[in-house]
């Protein structure tokens, strides 16, 4: 056994002499990759067949491996207090690390891995401070500070550069207003549990709706809060400040839902309304806040259009869009004496019969004061689909489904988008040749479609809030057998919109069809978005 371990030790020495020679001859990136490979090989040799784990030579070998690894991790890692700088070896951060004992108590008090995520770097020194990145932030320890201030989180929000101008304090009882911003009520509990401004920092923004990531978010100096659109109210998580500051290699190895994308947002008063109504009711967002031709500030969603209330700029209301389409108002009919319906009377005993299930559905979102009064009776369309329209929206009832999607809003916002969405180009506007600020919005003619129907894919190409004309994105559709079909969209129109009809896709019920829309810049850099629809064959 002694000779066997001695042989292992000699192999280790030879191995790391080889590593030194390789490092001297290879390029920097090749050296890092080779050192990482040698470290893994080192541990494998040290542990292979080592049943006697208390043997001193075997333990020395493992310790030697770890020391080499530590040297690799710390080499060149600097932080100057004003931003992440220096020759940080990003390749060493493809994995997670143990939280250093120096920070473990502070880390656990703040919620540990469940809230902050794992450590994504080893401990390192920055000036007089010892610091360590976790996914949600950067923990700092300053030994020279007073005892109560030695442990803190770094103001990564300020370093990243997220900051909105202060706003006037709202006259709403119970609102928490700090540093010119209102703390969103769903985030307030976690803000206080973590220690308020001392740990989280002051708010840098108001509440935002991030249209790219489908979430409600708010940025503070040291941490960022968010809640996904489809999550229950109060299901608050932390944005990955630490991952973002650690840069692209860290981001590539982290859950994407938590990664920052500071440019994609809806401001107040839209953000809080989107949070309250939910993406399942509104559908996807297709535009930023913009000024409509009649001067109203509005945002277009799949199912309706929201505008700033002209009588109260702190709230939004739905725009009356239904009568702008080819929807003929129905004459009032006799009110039914039926427990399954209620009657909205307009002329004596005549009016519009509304199914109680529609009434209950609307009550969750503000009732008839939100939808507006009915303008049609419930009307059959096709294949078991029924629709009733109100002044602001239409409700569909689909007999072909058995889950909660049986009752849903009709995608009338999409129709408004196609007919009426225009943004005036600034004087002297020149279409950008880069994709830095370009947004691609995509949607389908139907979330569910049968194998015998043609699916229409639409795309809107915007540079910030300005539509880009004569752009020709590409479409890649992944077929049920895993193959891909490629298509070219026609050029975008003055509203930045283009559409393409797909041939029917023969597939069984429940088949998910993924697709990707991409736009290429003149430098051949691509920006892409992905989405999907479902094949559902009606009985």
């Amino acid at each position: 056994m002694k000779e066997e371990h001695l042989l292992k030790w000699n192999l280790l020495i030879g191995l790391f002499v080889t590593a030194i020679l390789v490092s001297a001859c290879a390029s920097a990136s090749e050296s890092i990759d080779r050192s990482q490979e040698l470290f893994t090989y080192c541990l494998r040799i040290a542990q292979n067949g080592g049943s006697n784990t208390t043997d001193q030579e075997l333990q020395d070998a493992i310790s030697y491996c770890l020391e080499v690894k530590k040297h690799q991790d710390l080499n060149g890692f600097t932080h100057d207090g004003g931003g992440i700088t220096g020759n940080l070896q990003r390749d060493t951060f493809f994995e997670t690390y143990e939280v250093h004992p120096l920070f473990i108590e502070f880390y656990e008090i703040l919620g540990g891995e469940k809230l902050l995520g794992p450590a994504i770097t080893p401990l390192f020194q920055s000036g007089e401070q010892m610091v360590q990145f976790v996914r949600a932030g950067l923990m700092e320890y300053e030994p020279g500070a007073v005892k109560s201030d030695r442990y803190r989180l770094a103001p990564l929000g300020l370093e990243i550069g997220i900051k909105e101008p202060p706003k006037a304090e709202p006259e709403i009882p119970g609102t928490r207003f700090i540093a010119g911003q209102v703390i969103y009520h769903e985030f307030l509990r976690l803000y206080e549990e973590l220690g308020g401004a001392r740990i989280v920092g002051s708010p840098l923004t108001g509440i935002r709706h991030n249209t790219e990531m489908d979430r409600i978010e708010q940025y503070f100096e040291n941490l960022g809060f968010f809640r996904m659109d489809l999550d229950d109210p109060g299901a608050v998580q932390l944005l990955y400040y630490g991952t973002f500051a650690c840069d692209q290699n860290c981001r590539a190895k982290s859950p994407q839902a938590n990664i920052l994308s500071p440019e994609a947002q809806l401001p107040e008063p839209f953000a809080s309304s989107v949070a309250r109504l939910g993406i399942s009711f509104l559908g996807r967002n297709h535009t930023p806040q913009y000024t409509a031709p009649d001067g109203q500030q509005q945002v277009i969603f799949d199912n309706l259009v929201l505008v700033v209330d002209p009588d109260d700029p702190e709230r939004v209301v739905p725009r009356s869009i239904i009568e702008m389409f080819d929807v003929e108002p129905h004459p009032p009919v006799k009110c039914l004496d039926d427990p399954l319906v209620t009657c909205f009377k307009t002329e004596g005993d005549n009016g519009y019969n509304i199914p109680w299930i529609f009434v209950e559905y609307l009550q969750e979102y503000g009732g008839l004061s939100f939808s507006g009064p009915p303008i049609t009776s419930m009307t059959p369309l096709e294949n078991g689909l029924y629709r009733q329209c109100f002044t602001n929206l239409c409700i569909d009832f689909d007999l072909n489904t058995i889950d909660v999607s049986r009752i849903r809003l009709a995608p009338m916002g999409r129709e408004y988008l196609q007919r009426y969405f225009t943004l005036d180009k600034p004087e002297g506007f020149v279409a950008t040749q880069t994709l830095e600020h370009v947004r691609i919005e995509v949607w389908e003619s139907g979330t569910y479609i049968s194998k015998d129907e043609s699916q229409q894919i639409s795309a809107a190409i915007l540079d910030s809030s300005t539509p880009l004309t004569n752009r020709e994105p590409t479409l890649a559709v992944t077929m049920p057998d895993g193959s891909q079909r490629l298509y070219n969209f026609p050029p975008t129109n003055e509203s930045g919109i283009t559409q393409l009809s797909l041939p029917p896709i023969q597939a069984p019920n429940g088949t998910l069809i993924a697709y990707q829309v991409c736009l290429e810049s003149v430098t051949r850099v691509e920006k892409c978005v992905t989405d999907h629809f479902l094949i559902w064959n009606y009985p």
Side-chain angles (χ1 to χ4, degrees):
M1 179 67 72
K2 189 73 173 178
E3 289 77 14
E4 182 180 331
H5 288 161
L6 185 60
L7 177 60
K8 288 182 181 178
W9 183 246
N10 289 335
L11 284 171
L12 288 170
I13 293 173
L15 182 64
F16 282 98
V17 167
T18 303
I20 293 171
L21 293 175
V22 170
S23 298
C25 300
S27 67
S29 61
E30 291 172 341
S31 174
I32 293 170
D33 292 341
R34 182 61 174 156
S35 297
Q36 187 80 10
E37 179 182 323
L38 291 173
F39 166 68
T40 304
Y41 190 33
C42 170
L43 284 182
R44 186 179 298 124
I45 291 175
Q47 294 169 330
N48 182 35
S51 59
N52 182 11
T53 57
T54 61
D55 184 277
Q56 188 60 52
E57 286 186 346
L58 182 57
Q59 292 301 310
D60 287 346
I62 294 174
S63 297
Y64 181 70
C65 295
L66 294 174
E67 283 299 313
V68 171
K69 173 65 172 172
K70 179 180 177 182
H71 176 73
Q72 293 170 0
D73 288 343
L74 295 177
N75 180 36
F77 195 149
T78 62
H79 184 283
D80 65 3
I84 311 302
T85 60
N87 57 333
L88 173 60
Q89 294 180 349
R90 304 294 183 189
D91 290 1
T92 65
F93 299 142
F94 282 177
E95 56 190 301
T96 58
Y97 293 76
E98 295 292 329
V99 174
H100 193 276
L102 179 65
F103 284 116
I104 193 66
E105 185 176 358
F106 179 64
Y107 176 74
E108 292 298 337
I109 288 173
L110 295 184
E113 184 171 341
K114 183 176 181 181
L115 188 62
L116 298 178
I120 55 174
T121 71
L123 181 75
F124 64 97
Q125 188 165 355
S126 175
E128 299 298 320
Q129 301 171 350
M130 300 303 296
V131 297
Q132 186 173 21
F133 275 103
V134 291
R135 280 181 173 164
L138 177 63
M139 300 185 294
E140 295 182 331
Y141 174 75
E142 186 171 354
V146 297
K147 190 173 182 180
S148 60
D149 292 334
R150 288 178 186 172
Y151 290 94
R152 58 178 178 258
L153 294 176
L156 294 183
L158 292 173
E159 290 190 11
I160 294 167
I162 304 168
K163 181 75 173 174
E164 288 180 356
K167 303 175 180 64
E169 184 171 2
E171 298 179 0
I172 304 175
T175 299
R176 181 69 68 86
F177 185 75
I178 298 176
Q181 305 292 346
V182 172
I183 298 179
Y184 181 46
H185 66 90
E186 285 193 37
F187 300 155
L188 187 55
R189 179 178 177 181
L190 181 58
Y191 174 83
E192 292 176 337
E193 287 177 351
L194 287 172
R198 179 180 174 274
I199 297 297
V200 181
S202 297
L204 299 176
T205 71
I207 178 179
R208 299 175 167 190
H209 182 254
N210 188 315
T211 57
E212 179 181 318
M213 305 296 286
D214 293 328
R215 69 188 181 207
I216 304 300
E217 62 189 22
Q218 187 167 17
Y219 295 85
F220 296 79
E221 290 175 330
N222 308 334
L223 294 172
F225 293 10
F226 78 98
R227 194 256 292 168
M228 298 301 294
D229 288 334
L230 296 179
D231 285 349
D232 294 332
V236 182
Q237 304 177 59
L238 295 181
L239 294 167
Y240 283 168
Y241 273 20
T243 297
F244 192 88
C246 179
D247 212 358
Q248 190 60 45
N249 282 344
C250 290
R251 282 177 243 172
K253 297 295 178 179
S254 294
Q256 292 303 300
N258 302 63
I259 297 298
L260 283 64
S261 56
E263 292 180 3
Q265 59 182 289
L266 279 182
E268 288 287 25
F270 291 98
S272 55
S273 292
V274 172
R276 177 178 58 83
L277 295 169
I279 204 70
S280 61
F281 181 75
L282 296 169
R284 297 192 195 99
N285 163 242
H286 289 293
T287 70
Q289 178 182 341
Y290 75 100
T291 304
D294 62 358
Q296 294 203 71
Q297 295 296 308
Q298 66 182 29
V299 177
I300 303 174
F301 297 85
D302 270 340
N303 302 331
L304 46 77
V305 179
L306 294 179
V307 297
V308 174
D309 187 346
D311 299 323
D312 182 1
E314 297 300 318
R315 65 188 291 262
V316 297
V317 293
R319 186 177 188 123
S320 300
I321 62 172
I322 302 305
E323 292 182 293
M324 301 171 68
F325 307 137
D326 302 324
V327 177
E328 290 291 335
H330 294 178
V333 298
K334 183 175 178 59
C335 291
L336 296 176
D337 183 15
D338 189 330
L340 296 180
V341 301
T342 185
C343 188
F344 182 87
K345 294 183 178 180
T346 58
E347 300 174 1
D349 289 333
N350 291 337
Y352 296 91
N353 295 297
I354 308 172
W356 265 110
I357 53 175
F358 284 9
V359 175
E360 292 170 351
Y361 177 71
L362 288 174
Q363 281 175 346
E364 297 182 34
Y365 306 101
L368 290 178
S369 63
F370 185 87
S371 67
I375 59 174
T376 73
S377 300
M378 191 167 176
T379 306
L381 297 181
E382 57 182 16
N383 295 327
L385 183 66
Y386 292 80
R387 176 172 295 175
Q388 184 167 24
C389 289
F390 302 75
T391 56
N392 303 331
L393 52 83
C394 294
I395 301 178
D396 284 351
F397 182 76
D398 191 349
L399 292 176
N400 299 296
T401 62
I402 59 174
D403 57 12
V404 293
S405 65
R406 171 171 283 189
I407 301 174
R408 59 183 182 268
L409 294 191
M412 307 306 290
R414 295 183 197 169
E415 186 165 349
Y416 180 91
L417 179 79
Q418 295 175 27
R419 294 194 185 194
Y420 300 106
F421 176 55
T422 57
L423 287 175
D424 293 334
K425 298 180 179 64
E427 187 175 349
F429 168 76
V430 177
T432 178
Q433 297 301 301
T434 72
L435 301 178
E436 182 180 0
H437 301 295
V438 168
R439 292 176 55 199
I440 305 174
E441 300 285 351
V442 298
W443 64 97
E444 317 91 35
S445 57
T447 305
Y448 306 93
I449 199 162
S450 80
K451 62 184 177 62
D452 299 317
E453 294 178 288
S454 175
Q455 177 69 280
Q456 181 174 272
I457 306 295
S458 301
I461 311 297
L462 306 172
D463 184 357
S464 296
S465 60
T466 304
L468 297 180
T469 61
N470 295 316
R471 297 302 175 94
E472 300 181 25
T474 60
L475 172 66
V477 181
T478 301
M479 304 303 290
D481 62 0
S483 64
Q484 278 199 335
R485 292 182 184 174
L486 301 179
Y487 303 89
N488 291 314
F489 282 94
T492 54
N493 61 21
E494 291 184 356
S495 297
I497 294 174
T498 181
Q499 297 172 331
L500 184 72
S501 292
L502 299 176
I505 298 175
Q506 300 300 310
N509 270 10
T511 303
L512 198 68
I513 304 297
Y515 65 89
Q516 185 177 63
V517 177
C518 295
L519 184 67
E520 189 177 86
S521 72
V522 293
T523 58
R524 306 196 70 79
V525 174
E526 279 192 332
K527 175 169 281 190
C528 301
V529 295
T530 59
D531 212 325
H532 59 264
F533 58 90
L534 195 66
I535 299 295
W536 191 262
N537 301 309
Y538 302 118

